[in-house]
Amino acid sequence: EEQDNVSSPSTNMIDECFQTAVKEGLLIDRDGETFLFAHDQIQLAAYSLVPDEDRELLNLKIGYSLMDNLGDGSVTTNTASARGANKIIDGELFVITDLLNSGSGLIT
């Protein structure tokens, strides 16, 4: 009910926030669309700002989003590169599984 009155930020506003975070050294811009936290402690600090009652849903949404994008751009014909891509996908699977497990109470 109360959330209905809150408008979503514009794409431009989000882009500006990401660019500010990159300039401040909080995020690393990998390709203009993919960003990483510059340090694990920054990620933990950001996560701590999420209210406890919202974390389960947030984890579930992030897990589904990562699952939808799993393996993007990792298909290759080079055997050595394919092995490296498989290691990345394996690592992503652990993260995705952990996130989905964290939000499993909301799955019906």
Side-chain angles (χ1 to χ4, degrees):
E1 298 82 23
E2 187 176 314
Q3 282 184 320
D4 293 339
N5 296 329
V6 178
S7 62
S8 297
S10 70
T11 302
N12 288 339
M13 181 184 289
I14 293 170
D15 288 342
E16 288 175 21
C17 290
F18 272 88
Q19 291 311 314
T20 300
V22 168
K23 287 177 188 171
E24 296 293 325
L26 300 172
L27 294 176
I28 298 168
D29 184 350
R30 290 188 61 195
D31 58 12
E33 293 183 14
T34 306
F35 296 85
L36 302 172
F37 284 100
H39 194 280
D40 290 345
Q41 292 300 313
I42 296 169
Q43 181 178 2
L44 290 173
Y47 190 71
S48 73
L49 297 173
V50 177
D52 290 340
E53 62 272 9
D54 296 337
R55 288 183 184 181
E56 191 173 18
L57 180 59
L58 178 65
N59 288 337
L60 194 60
K61 286 181 177 182
I62 293 170
Y64 280 133
S65 178
L66 291 174
M67 189 169 58
D68 288 343
N69 296 303
L70 181 65
D72 281 3
S74 63
V75 177
T76 179
T77 57
N78 180 310
T79 305
S81 295
R83 278 190 225 124
N86 286 338
K87 287 181 184 177
I88 291 169
I89 290 172
D90 288 347
E92 290 174 347
L93 286 175
F94 283 110
V95 170
I96 292 167
T97 301
D98 186 50
L99 288 163
L100 294 177
N101 282 338
S102 296
S104 64
L106 300 175
I107 298 174
T108 58

